[in-house]
Amino acid sequence: MKELTVGIDIGGTNTKFGIVDRQGNVHHQGSIATTDYEDFKDFFDGMADALREAIHNTVSGSKVVGIGVGAANGNYYTGTIDQATNLKWKEELPLAKMFTEEFGIPCVLTNDANAAAVGEMVYGNAKGMKDFVVITLGTGLGSGFVCNGTLLNGKHGIAGEVGHTSVNPTGRYCNCGKRGCLETYVSATGIKRTVYKLLADHLEPSELRGISFDNLNTKMITEAAMRGDVVAKAAFEYTGRILGMKLSETVVHTDPEAIFLFGGLSQAGDLIFKPTIRHMEANLMPLFRGKVKILPSALQNQAAPILGASSLVWDYLDKKKHHLATA
Ligand SMILES: [Zn+2]
């Protein structure tokens, strides 16, 4: 019987889900509006109903063997979402336990960047790699570390928050309460802040002048840079420099084979990859030079968060099998 997994990506606006096979083919996709539910219990019931229907409609001659969930502030150890800033429910949300009880199959939950890292290992460009890092460049900057073939969770399930390490102790204010965090410079929001600073510093004409902060987005900055806009080009160079310098330090901790860039900003291609690679290499401890690849994620499509979440189940089942075989 063909085995399938469910992947669920809980976002502040929408919760997307899909039913996925071992090769990463998505057989069914759906979503519910996260914001429609005042009560967490109602949200869970809505999600469970949608899933039951999806499973009923998709699965003939196959069975669903587990549920993977990716969410901001998702904790792998406890299976809970804790104090997520993008959700209105501030209590500890025991989602993994609730799904397991409801459907009678294992549920693995972690934060969205960790899910992206496992997704890259199971379906993407990190297949066969044992040591790598995934940097997700969205509204903020997330990161997931895989060491010796295993996702790094740490003592409290919150390992690898590179986005909140410092690049400038007296720098920009960050949502986390600190100052100068990497994500205040390197993220969709970070590059907008950089563009605004550069517009203030430079006298050259720029097509980005006159666009309000709220209307400005990564795509506009990318397209302007491709047309040769001085400020947009300088913004990418600056962003790549900060990211490259930070990655030259990140590398030292776990000695990865590769670092994958995922998400909106990474789709700017050479504009972000070239300065990142150049500044990482220039700042690397000599022992590491020329050894660490910076690569694009293979999961750059709409279904990426669902794939990441569903991959958690395959990884969990593989490790369980391995554990039983060697016990
Ligand atoms: Zn921070």
Side-chain angles (χ1 to χ4, degrees):
M1 198 177 255
K2 186 173 178 163
E3 295 187 332
L4 300 168
T5 59
V6 171
I8 303 173
D9 171 58
I10 301 182
T13 312
N14 288 303
T15 294
K16 297 174 191 156
F17 59 92
I19 299 177
V20 185
D21 65 24
R22 193 68 171 84
Q23 285 68 45
N25 302 306
V26 182
H27 293 268
H28 179 93
Q29 269 195 77
S31 73
I32 65 169
T34 317
T35 44
D36 275 1
Y37 301 89
E38 283 306 316
D39 218 58
F40 172 66
K41 182 71 177 69
D42 293 339
F43 165 76
F44 179 80
D45 290 342
M47 195 56 234
D49 285 344
L51 264 189
R52 258 189 301 273
E53 196 189 328
I55 291 171
H56 179 77
N57 289 336
T58 318
V59 186
S60 67
S62 51
K63 66 170 179 177
V64 173
V65 293
I67 298 170
V69 183
N73 291 34
N75 189 308
Y76 179 82
Y77 291 128
T78 57
T80 57
I81 298 173
D82 309 330
Q83 299 162 30
T85 47
N86 63 342
L87 302 176
K88 59 181 131 186
W89 315 297
K90 297 302 171 199
E91 69 268 33
E92 204 177 85
L93 313 173
L95 264 180
K97 186 167 169 267
M98 291 166 83
F99 276 121
T100 297
E101 283 173 5
E102 186 74 26
F103 290 91
I105 47 179
C107 177
V108 187
L109 180 149
T110 189
N111 78 49
D112 37 3
N114 283 348
V118 179
E120 204 66 48
M121 179 165 63
V122 172
Y123 307 121
N125 285 339
K127 259 186 211 166
M129 283 189 193
K130 285 190 167 287
D131 296 275
F132 67 92
V133 180
V134 170
I135 303 283
T136 65
L137 300 164
T139 316
L141 185 150
S143 51
F145 285 70
V146 170
C147 302
N148 200 18
T150 303
L151 183 67
L152 190 70
N153 285 297
K155 168 74 177 167
H156 310 97
I158 47 179
E161 286 287 343
V162 175
H164 298 284
T165 61
S166 178
V167 296
N168 177 2
T170 56
R172 298 174 182 174
Y173 289 94
C174 183
N175 283 327
C176 76
K178 300 202 318 155
R179 288 186 73 171
C181 293
L182 178 66
E183 83 164 26
T184 67
Y185 297 86
V186 184
S187 62
T189 320
I191 196 169
K192 283 167 61 169
R193 291 170 87 166
T194 298
V195 164
Y196 259 59
K197 182 164 189 320
L198 290 170
L199 286 171
D201 290 345
H202 283 68
L203 290 169
E204 289 93 336
S206 166
E207 61 179 90
L208 302 176
R209 277 189 209 285
I211 300 173
S212 79
F213 190 83
D214 287 342
N215 286 334
L216 187 62
N217 62 42
T218 304
K219 193 161 171 266
M220 287 175 187
I221 304 167
T222 305
E223 286 169 2
M226 283 172 171
R227 284 191 283 268
D229 189 278
V230 175
V231 167
K233 276 166 59 185
F236 274 106
E237 171 64 25
Y238 183 80
T239 306
R241 177 158 72 85
I242 304 260
L243 179 58
M245 287 174 71
K246 175 54 75 180
L247 293 182
S248 76
E249 294 177 353
T250 303
V251 156
V252 175
H253 298 297
T254 60
D255 182 18
E257 177 177 348
I259 298 172
F260 295 94
L261 304 185
F262 170 90
L265 205 50
S266 73
Q267 283 164 2
D270 281 353
L271 283 170
I272 188 73
F273 277 85
K274 278 193 170 166
T276 302
I277 292 167
R278 192 169 72 247
H279 289 287
M280 183 184 81
E281 285 296 329
N283 289 281
L284 270 177
M285 183 188 170
L287 205 54
F288 287 97
R289 281 183 198 150
K291 290 182 181 160
V292 187
K293 292 170 277 200
I294 307 262
L295 299 170
S297 163
L299 305 180
Q300 302 276 25
N301 61 55
Q302 291 290 314
I306 291 170
L307 289 173
S310 72
S311 72
L312 297 168
V313 181
W314 301 121
D315 186 54
Y316 167 82
L317 293 174
D318 288 350
K319 293 213 161 63
K320 200 170 143 194
K321 223 178 276 170
H322 179 76
H323 185 73
L324 287 173
T326 54

mmCIF file of all heavy atoms in Angstrom, residues 30-46:
data_model
loop_
_atom_site.group_PDB
_atom_site.id
_atom_site.type_symbol
_atom_site.label_atom_id
_atom_site.label_comp_id
_atom_site.label_asym_id
_atom_site.label_seq_id
_atom_site.Cartn_x
_atom_site.Cartn_y
_atom_site.Cartn_z
ATOM 1 N N GLY A 30 -4.949 22.168 0.011
ATOM 2 C CA GLY A 30 -6.082 22.971 0.447
ATOM 3 C C GLY A 30 -5.610 23.997 1.457
ATOM 4 O O GLY A 30 -4.447 24.009 1.855
ATOM 5 N N SER A 31 -6.517 24.858 1.864
ATOM 6 C CA SER A 31 -6.154 25.818 2.909
ATOM 7 C C SER A 31 -7.401 26.285 3.646
ATOM 8 O O SER A 31 -8.518 26.193 3.122
ATOM 9 C CB SER A 31 -5.408 27.012 2.309
ATOM 10 O OG SER A 31 -6.301 27.839 1.600
ATOM 11 N N ILE A 32 -7.196 26.725 4.865
ATOM 12 C CA ILE A 32 -8.270 27.397 5.598
ATOM 13 C C ILE A 32 -7.718 28.744 6.078
ATOM 14 O O ILE A 32 -6.503 28.905 6.206
ATOM 15 C CB ILE A 32 -8.810 26.562 6.795
ATOM 16 C CG1 ILE A 32 -7.745 26.374 7.876
ATOM 17 C CG2 ILE A 32 -9.334 25.208 6.342
ATOM 18 C CD1 ILE A 32 -8.293 25.787 9.172
ATOM 19 N N ALA A 33 -8.595 29.688 6.311
ATOM 20 C CA ALA A 33 -8.150 31.018 6.752
ATOM 21 C C ALA A 33 -7.910 30.990 8.262
ATOM 22 O O ALA A 33 -8.843 30.827 9.042
ATOM 23 C CB ALA A 33 -9.193 32.062 6.392
ATOM 24 N N THR A 34 -6.642 31.130 8.660
ATOM 25 C CA THR A 34 -6.285 31.104 10.085
ATOM 26 C C THR A 34 -7.036 32.196 10.845
ATOM 27 O O THR A 34 -7.479 31.999 11.981
ATOM 28 C CB THR A 34 -4.763 31.327 10.250
ATOM 29 O OG1 THR A 34 -4.068 30.558 9.266
ATOM 30 C CG2 THR A 34 -4.283 30.925 11.639
ATOM 31 N N THR A 35 -7.211 33.325 10.189
ATOM 32 C CA THR A 35 -7.814 34.490 10.837
ATOM 33 C C THR A 35 -9.328 34.346 11.059
ATOM 34 O O THR A 35 -9.930 35.145 11.769
ATOM 35 C CB THR A 35 -7.566 35.754 9.983
ATOM 36 O OG1 THR A 35 -7.819 35.418 8.612
ATOM 37 C CG2 THR A 35 -6.136 36.241 10.103
ATOM 38 N N ASP A 36 -9.947 33.320 10.443
ATOM 39 C CA ASP A 36 -11.389 33.104 10.608
ATOM 40 C C ASP A 36 -11.773 32.597 12.000
ATOM 41 O O ASP A 36 -12.953 32.580 12.344
ATOM 42 C CB ASP A 36 -11.900 32.068 9.587
ATOM 43 C CG ASP A 36 -12.222 32.714 8.247
ATOM 44 O OD1 ASP A 36 -12.017 33.936 8.140
ATOM 45 O OD2 ASP A 36 -12.643 31.993 7.328
ATOM 46 N N TYR A 37 -10.811 32.143 12.762
ATOM 47 C CA TYR A 37 -11.120 31.462 14.029
ATOM 48 C C TYR A 37 -10.661 32.286 15.221
ATOM 49 O O TYR A 37 -9.476 32.556 15.394
ATOM 50 C CB TYR A 37 -10.460 30.078 14.058
ATOM 51 C CG TYR A 37 -10.912 29.201 12.908
ATOM 52 C CD1 TYR A 37 -10.243 29.223 11.691
ATOM 53 C CD2 TYR A 37 -12.031 28.373 13.030
ATOM 54 C CE1 TYR A 37 -10.672 28.441 10.623
ATOM 55 C CE2 TYR A 37 -12.464 27.596 11.969
ATOM 56 C CZ TYR A 37 -11.781 27.634 10.768
ATOM 57 O OH TYR A 37 -12.199 26.868 9.714
ATOM 58 N N GLU A 38 -11.608 32.678 16.063
ATOM 59 C CA GLU A 38 -11.287 33.426 17.272
ATOM 60 C C GLU A 38 -10.668 32.508 18.307
ATOM 61 O O GLU A 38 -9.763 32.879 19.044
ATOM 62 C CB GLU A 38 -12.558 34.058 17.860
ATOM 63 C CG GLU A 38 -13.043 35.312 17.142
ATOM 64 C CD GLU A 38 -11.966 36.382 17.008
ATOM 65 O OE1 GLU A 38 -11.252 36.628 17.996
ATOM 66 O OE2 GLU A 38 -11.833 36.947 15.905
ATOM 67 N N ASP A 39 -11.192 31.273 18.328
ATOM 68 C CA ASP A 39 -10.827 30.297 19.337
ATOM 69 C C ASP A 39 -9.889 29.261 18.747
ATOM 70 O O ASP A 39 -10.117 28.771 17.647
ATOM 71 C CB ASP A 39 -12.126 29.600 19.757
ATOM 72 C CG ASP A 39 -12.131 29.319 21.221
ATOM 73 O OD1 ASP A 39 -11.990 30.301 21.977
ATOM 74 O OD2 ASP A 39 -12.243 28.123 21.588
ATOM 75 N N PHE A 40 -8.847 28.904 19.482
ATOM 76 C CA PHE A 40 -7.902 27.912 18.966
ATOM 77 C C PHE A 40 -8.566 26.554 18.731
ATOM 78 O O PHE A 40 -8.312 25.877 17.736
ATOM 79 C CB PHE A 40 -6.702 27.766 19.916
ATOM 80 C CG PHE A 40 -5.808 26.624 19.538
ATOM 81 C CD1 PHE A 40 -5.096 26.653 18.341
ATOM 82 C CD2 PHE A 40 -5.682 25.514 20.359
ATOM 83 C CE1 PHE A 40 -4.277 25.593 17.957
ATOM 84 C CE2 PHE A 40 -4.875 24.447 19.987
ATOM 85 C CZ PHE A 40 -4.169 24.489 18.788
ATOM 86 N N LYS A 41 -9.456 26.159 19.660
ATOM 87 C CA LYS A 41 -10.133 24.863 19.531
ATOM 88 C C LYS A 41 -10.975 24.818 18.243
ATOM 89 O O LYS A 41 -11.009 23.800 17.543
ATOM 90 C CB LYS A 41 -11.016 24.627 20.768
ATOM 91 C CG LYS A 41 -11.752 23.293 20.793
ATOM 92 C CD LYS A 41 -10.794 22.121 21.027
ATOM 93 C CE LYS A 41 -11.502 20.766 21.126
ATOM 94 N NZ LYS A 41 -12.082 20.294 19.868
ATOM 95 N N ASP A 42 -11.630 25.925 17.933
ATOM 96 C CA ASP A 42 -12.422 25.995 16.694
ATOM 97 C C ASP A 42 -11.516 25.879 15.469
ATOM 98 O O ASP A 42 -11.869 25.253 14.474
ATOM 99 C CB ASP A 42 -13.213 27.316 16.623
ATOM 100 C CG ASP A 42 -14.284 27.375 17.701
ATOM 101 O OD1 ASP A 42 -14.677 26.295 18.202
ATOM 102 O OD2 ASP A 42 -14.704 28.493 18.056
ATOM 103 N N PHE A 43 -10.355 26.513 15.555
ATOM 104 C CA PHE A 43 -9.389 26.420 14.454
ATOM 105 C C PHE A 43 -8.983 24.962 14.254
ATOM 106 O O PHE A 43 -8.977 24.447 13.132
ATOM 107 C CB PHE A 43 -8.152 27.274 14.759
ATOM 108 C CG PHE A 43 -6.969 26.958 13.875
ATOM 109 C CD1 PHE A 43 -6.924 27.397 12.558
ATOM 110 C CD2 PHE A 43 -5.902 26.211 14.370
ATOM 111 C CE1 PHE A 43 -5.835 27.086 11.734
ATOM 112 C CE2 PHE A 43 -4.815 25.896 13.552
ATOM 113 C CZ PHE A 43 -4.788 26.335 12.237
ATOM 114 N N PHE A 44 -8.667 24.293 15.364
ATOM 115 C CA PHE A 44 -8.249 22.889 15.251
ATOM 116 C C PHE A 44 -9.364 22.038 14.633
ATOM 117 O O PHE A 44 -9.116 21.218 13.744
ATOM 118 C CB PHE A 44 -7.842 22.321 16.617
ATOM 119 C CG PHE A 44 -7.437 20.876 16.521
ATOM 120 C CD1 PHE A 44 -6.169 20.521 16.082
ATOM 121 C CD2 PHE A 44 -8.349 19.862 16.814
ATOM 122 C CE1 PHE A 44 -5.804 19.185 15.940
ATOM 123 C CE2 PHE A 44 -7.990 18.527 16.674
ATOM 124 C CZ PHE A 44 -6.709 18.196 16.244
ATOM 125 N N ASP A 45 -10.591 22.236 15.095
ATOM 126 C CA ASP A 45 -11.718 21.458 14.551
ATOM 127 C C ASP A 45 -11.903 21.727 13.060
ATOM 128 O O ASP A 45 -12.145 20.801 12.277
ATOM 129 C CB ASP A 45 -13.011 21.797 15.306
ATOM 130 C CG ASP A 45 -12.990 21.249 16.738
ATOM 131 O OD1 ASP A 45 -12.161 20.353 17.021
ATOM 132 O OD2 ASP A 45 -13.786 21.736 17.567
ATOM 133 N N GLY A 46 -11.760 22.978 12.654
ATOM 134 C CA GLY A 46 -11.871 23.350 11.245
ATOM 135 C C GLY A 46 -10.796 22.666 10.415
ATOM 136 O O GLY A 46 -11.047 22.146 9.317
#
